[in-house]
Amino acid sequence: MYRVAKQLPDIEKFGLASQIRRAALSLTNNIAEGHGRWHYLDQIKFTLQSRGSLEELIDDLNVCEDEEYLAQQHTASLKQQGWRVRKLIDGYIRYLREQKFNSSVGKDPPAYGAHGQKSEAALEIAPDSDDSRFTI
């Protein structure tokens, strides 16, 4: 997304380009911060914030397309990648919720990259499944 921001016209240097950079950084920073938290609910909260940043990026791509800053094919490809990331984030949230309900009190969350975690494919959600936007 930083490359996208660099391609925008000078008039967007402190507007859309800045917003794209902040949202992209927020997406990964929130996942990292959530991972560093002790409780699953904190991890879920930060991952939901990360998902919100992803939605901002997809909306920013719509603006880039509407204003003809980028070719429609390029924005379509980036949005497709964004929706793929969205599925992964939703799967991670679902995993964290399952771990929260299956863990005992005082038990540490699993370490990042620990063996036995679900594969990327197992974390995907079905297109018609409820993404539980309003529950933690």
Side-chain angles (χ1 to χ4, degrees):
M1 290 307 295
Y2 273 70
R3 282 189 221 135
V4 167
K6 287 180 183 179
Q7 293 175 348
L8 297 179
D10 288 341
I11 194 169
E12 294 293 354
K13 184 176 182 180
F14 298 106
L16 185 60
S18 177
Q19 178 60 31
I20 287 172
R21 286 191 305 271
R22 286 193 313 269
L25 190 59
S26 177
L27 192 157
T28 56
N29 280 347
N30 276 303
I31 291 173
E33 186 169 355
H35 181 72
R37 297 295 174 129
W38 184 261
H39 299 286
Y40 286 110
L41 287 177
D42 284 338
Q43 293 177 24
I44 293 167
K45 178 182 81 168
F46 280 98
T47 306
L48 287 169
Q49 290 173 351
S50 176
R51 186 171 71 180
S53 295
L54 175 62
E55 296 284 343
E56 284 182 52
L57 286 170
I58 292 170
D59 185 61
D60 292 341
L61 289 170
N62 289 332
V63 172
C64 289
E65 188 175 323
D66 291 346
E67 295 298 321
E68 298 178 356
Y69 294 150
L70 300 171
Q72 195 244 353
Q73 292 173 335
H74 187 56
T75 57
S77 173
L78 291 170
K79 285 192 279 187
Q80 184 179 22
Q81 290 175 38
W83 292 119
R84 171 82 174 121
V85 171
R86 167 67 193 262
K87 286 181 181 181
L88 293 171
I89 289 173
D90 287 344
Y92 184 54
I93 291 168
R94 190 173 56 256
Y95 167 79
L96 289 171
R97 286 178 177 152
E98 289 171 3
Q99 293 303 306
K100 178 200 174 294
F101 292 113
N102 292 333
S103 68
S104 61
V105 176
K107 187 175 179 182
D108 292 344
Y112 179 75
H115 297 292
Q117 290 185 357
K118 294 180 181 180
S119 70
E120 182 179 300
L123 294 176
E124 289 189 31
I125 62 170
D128 60 340
S129 67
D130 176 22
D131 70 358
S132 303
R133 291 177 186 241
F134 303 107
T135 60
I136 293 182

